[in-house]
Amino acid sequence: TGQILAMASQPKYDQANFADYETYLYKNPVVSDTFEPGSIMKTLTVSAGIDAGKITPDTTCPVCDQPRRIGGYTIRTWNDVYNPDISMRDALAKSDNTAMIFVAEQLGVENFQTYLKKFGIGEPINIDLQEDTATPFPTKWGPVELATRSFGQGITTTSLQMMRAVSAIANQGVMMQPQIVKEVVTPTGDVISIEPTV
């Protein structure tokens, strides 16, 4: 449904005595703070590859037996372990960076960008909370950037952007508008329901 049942952050502050706290604590980092999603992005990369028909869960990676050398850089897996002919299913389970590069290369820059935008990366959530903003979508896309962004480095999101994107995969490809308010009760007792929005 997109309805958010709970949201929390630490450290917190006491709203009744907010002047006793540093101002940076006032914001909601789930909405306002950006970060490099890292391996969370692999879920989107594999999903895009499958949806575009470039891979299947059983597609094997022909270039995953060693680090990848791209544009003068050596890109390794997170644990420096390599898996020749690893399937995409296992690559996702083992968080294999080289397999994600392979998927992104099969998609190509333009197709990969299109999928990230469809997932809402870079877009505001439009949620009923302050500080909801768009995140910068990268403009430079060379071979190295395509490679590193396939596993979530060199691109920024917010926690809610990633939650919305991954939830769409879990929801059979239907992206729901994240929603904080479920209903409003008027002073006269009338209930105004806020319906989930695709």
Side-chain angles (χ1 to χ4, degrees):
T1 64
Q3 293 173 343
I4 296 175
L5 304 180
M7 182 185 296
S9 65
Q10 281 287 91
K12 60 184 180 175
Y13 70 97
D14 179 4
Q15 291 181 354
N17 299 294
F18 70 92
D20 296 338
Y21 295 84
E22 294 291 330
T23 56
Y24 79 91
L25 295 173
Y26 299 169
K27 65 182 181 176
N28 182 345
V30 176
V31 178
S32 62
D33 285 2
T34 60
F35 71 107
E36 283 187 329
S39 292
I40 306 168
M41 184 66 78
K42 294 173 182 175
T43 308
L44 308 188
T45 301
V46 170
S47 177
I50 291 171
D51 188 71
K54 301 297 184 181
I55 60 165
T56 72
D58 297 317
T59 296
T60 57
C61 179
V63 291
C64 290
D65 57 340
Q66 60 186 340
R68 293 290 308 274
R69 187 89 176 142
I70 300 173
Y73 295 93
T74 300
I75 302 175
R76 304 179 184 281
T77 59
W78 65 274
N79 58 358
D80 213 19
V81 172
Y82 300 90
N83 303 284
D85 298 317
I86 191 170
S87 72
M88 295 299 106
R89 179 180 284 109
D90 288 342
L92 194 54
K94 293 182 178 182
S95 197
D96 191 310
N97 292 349
T98 57
M100 297 307 114
I101 296 169
F102 168 73
V103 175
E105 289 172 339
Q106 300 311 299
L107 284 164
V109 170
E110 189 174 318
N111 213 4
F112 189 53
Q113 286 177 331
T114 297
Y115 271 98
L116 291 180
K117 289 177 180 179
K118 284 182 178 180
F119 276 121
I121 303 303
E123 298 295 322
I125 297 293
N126 297 317
I127 197 167
D128 298 334
L129 294 171
Q130 293 180 352
E131 303 168 330
D132 177 27
T133 58
T135 56
F137 194 84
T139 55
K140 181 185 176 194
W141 285 81
V144 173
E145 290 79 14
L146 177 65
T148 58
R149 289 174 188 147
S150 73
F151 52 85
Q153 293 180 7
I155 191 166
T156 58
T157 64
T158 65
S159 297
L160 272 181
Q161 275 184 11
M162 287 308 295
M163 182 277 308
R164 176 179 62 182
V166 174
S167 292
I169 297 170
N171 199 27
Q172 304 300 313
V174 178
M175 184 177 289
M176 302 301 293
Q177 170 65 43
Q179 178 182 343
I180 293 292
V181 179
K182 183 175 183 178
E183 61 186 23
V184 176
V185 180
T186 68
T188 59
D190 295 326
V191 177
I192 303 168
S193 294
I194 311 298
E195 295 301 318
T197 305
V198 176

